[in-house]
Amino acid sequence: MTAILFVCLGNICRSPLAEGIFRHQVEAARMTDRFTIDSAGCGGWHTGELPDKRSIAVAQAHGIDISGQRARQIHIDDFDRFDLILGLDRDNVRHLMAMKPEGSQAEVALYLEKALGMAKNVPDPYYGSEADFEAVFQMCEKAGAGLLKKLASA
Ligand code: 4NP
């Protein structure tokens, strides 16, 4: 069993998409018993909120329902509960590395780098357009497929 946590800044735009898409891919591959999947934000401003309506809409357009998710902030216990903690951008990774307790076995990495070997951020679409949310979806879909392939064969 591998426990994976996707982390962005607010846990309302990017990481809910990363979580929902990866869960969908894992379900399609009939590997739900092999993964625990969750998401969180570096900040807690949106705690308890649904994903941003633009994230819900872009996921829905691709046949994925993420409306059941609720935002939460990363907690120190997450470094014991999760094997792989994936920041959507480098600021997120920096925040996670600074928080990581000594002795935690969790691997903290940049999502696209871990999944696809691409040292690239998934850009924050919060102040962007619908096209920016579609771009986030596409990146997370490719990354999810790459991550699943990597972990399934490990
Ligand atoms: P996310 O996007 O990190 O992809 O969830 C953001 C959501 C909210 C804020 C910034 C980014 N905010 O400033 O409230």
Side-chain angles (χ1 to χ4, degrees):
M1 183 69 121
T2 305
I4 303 172
L5 183 65
F6 296 101
V7 178
C8 62
L9 181 58
N11 193 210
I12 54 167
C13 298
R14 291 166 293 173
S15 58
L17 281 170
E19 176 190 338
I21 291 165
F22 188 67
R23 174 170 293 116
H24 183 81
Q25 291 168 330
V26 164
E27 283 170 4
R30 300 180 183 279
M31 288 198 276
T32 49
D33 54 332
R34 289 191 47 183
F35 298 100
T36 295
I37 307 160
D38 195 8
S39 65
C42 291
W45 317 283
H46 297 281
T47 297
E49 291 178 19
L50 275 72
D52 188 286
K53 57 182 183 303
R54 297 164 295 177
S55 285
I56 293 177
V58 75
Q60 197 59 57
H62 291 274
I64 300 175
D65 181 12
I66 63 165
S67 65
Q69 293 186 37
R70 296 295 179 271
R72 73 171 181 93
Q73 187 171 20
I74 178 100
H75 187 270
I76 204 80
D77 292 350
D78 290 321
F79 292 88
D80 290 325
R81 293 177 47 219
F82 292 90
D83 303 298
L84 191 51
I85 303 181
L86 296 168
L88 276 280
D89 69 30
R90 287 188 186 81
D91 286 341
N92 309 144
V93 171
R94 220 171 286 128
H95 182 97
L96 292 166
M97 291 303 287
M99 243 189 116
K100 182 177 162 172
E102 225 173 283
S104 162
Q105 297 297 304
E107 178 185 353
V108 173
L110 183 67
Y111 188 22
L112 295 187
E113 189 158 31
K114 176 71 184 176
L116 300 170
M118 285 170 65
K120 250 183 75 174
N121 293 334
V122 176
D124 184 354
Y126 190 60
Y127 295 105
S129 66
E130 207 174 291
D132 297 309
F133 280 80
E134 176 65 28
V136 169
F137 185 95
Q138 295 296 333
M139 281 182 227
C140 289
E141 191 174 50
K142 284 192 186 74
L147 184 67
L148 184 56
K149 192 171 166 196
K150 195 167 175 168
L151 297 178
S153 64

